[in-house]
Amino acid sequence: MLEKDRGVTLQFIVLRIYKMNTHEFYIRKCIELGMLAKRFGDSPVGAILVKEGQIVAEAIEAGKSKKDITCHAEIEVIRRFREENELIDLTGYTMYTTHEPCIMCAYVIRQHKISTVVWSISTGNIGGYSSAYPILKDNTIAKWGGEPVIVKGVLEEECVQAFL
């Protein structure tokens, strides 16, 4: 292979790796999971947990199918991760989800000290960030430490269209 060709190939590989580590990449994975939840008759929510660019757990909404209101995708992804890991402090982890975590999920996220939360669709009056009870922003509970970094609206239109 010519040196020039090798440079082009290497550049392509580096570009491809970079694209796999974007918010859009992970949100698209959440949309796929949300579609699966929808097929099972649950709300179309998918969530993943990422550490250093690696997906370490994924889950779908299962409240209706499991007949358990606590089986939101965001809580389920933490449960799945914790089944194989004893970690409680998830500082340095990022959660991606199709929908803004609700108030209940926001509490669980804060309790586990997840550093970054990324979502597509805001949920308004039940949201853990946008409601009258913005637990994701709360700084009054000392043991939670600082609030997580919030990135909202990632691929929002694509997510809305996927679940029509």
Side-chain angles (χ1 to χ4, degrees):
M1 179 182 288
L2 296 171
E3 198 62 36
K4 183 178 175 184
D5 292 338
R6 219 182 295 163
V8 171
T9 303
L10 182 60
Q11 184 180 20
F12 174 73
I13 292 168
V14 170
L15 181 61
R16 193 172 163 159
I17 290 169
Y18 172 76
K19 285 187 175 185
M20 288 180 60
N21 289 322
T22 64
H23 293 319
E24 291 83 5
F25 172 81
Y26 297 116
I27 288 295
R28 282 195 175 94
K29 177 68 175 164
C30 290
I31 292 170
E32 290 174 18
L33 292 166
M35 299 291 276
L36 181 60
K38 185 178 178 181
R39 280 196 297 259
F40 289 132
D42 287 289
S43 296
V45 183
I48 60 173
L49 197 57
V50 174
K51 173 75 174 191
E52 296 174 355
Q54 298 294 315
I55 297 173
V56 296
E58 58 184 46
I60 62 172
E61 192 85 1
K64 291 177 187 171
S65 58
K66 288 186 176 181
K67 297 179 175 75
D68 180 348
I69 189 69
T70 68
C71 291
H72 286 199
E74 297 87 352
I75 294 173
E76 289 291 281
V77 77
I78 293 169
R79 283 180 179 146
R80 285 233 172 123
F81 177 76
R82 300 249 0 255
E83 284 172 2
E84 298 189 21
N85 299 279
E86 294 185 20
L87 291 176
I88 294 173
D89 184 341
L90 300 181
T91 300
Y93 288 77
T94 299
M95 178 180 288
Y96 289 87
T97 180
T98 53
H99 292 70
E100 172 188 356
C102 73
I103 297 162
M104 174 179 64
C105 294
Y107 175 87
V108 175
I109 289 166
R110 294 303 301 274
Q111 194 69 23
H112 286 87
K113 299 179 181 175
I114 292 174
S115 297
T116 305
V117 183
V118 182
W119 68 79
S120 290
I121 302 170
S122 292
T123 54
N125 65 353
I126 63 165
Y129 184 82
S130 61
S131 74
Y133 306 99
I135 293 170
L136 289 173
K137 297 182 202 179
D138 189 293
N139 283 314
T140 63
I141 300 175
K143 74 177 189 172
W144 283 351
E147 63 188 80
V149 172
I150 301 296
V151 181
K152 54 186 178 169
V154 177
L155 297 177
E156 183 175 12
E157 189 57 36
E158 187 173 320
C159 191
V160 168
Q161 292 301 314
F163 300 137
L164 289 179

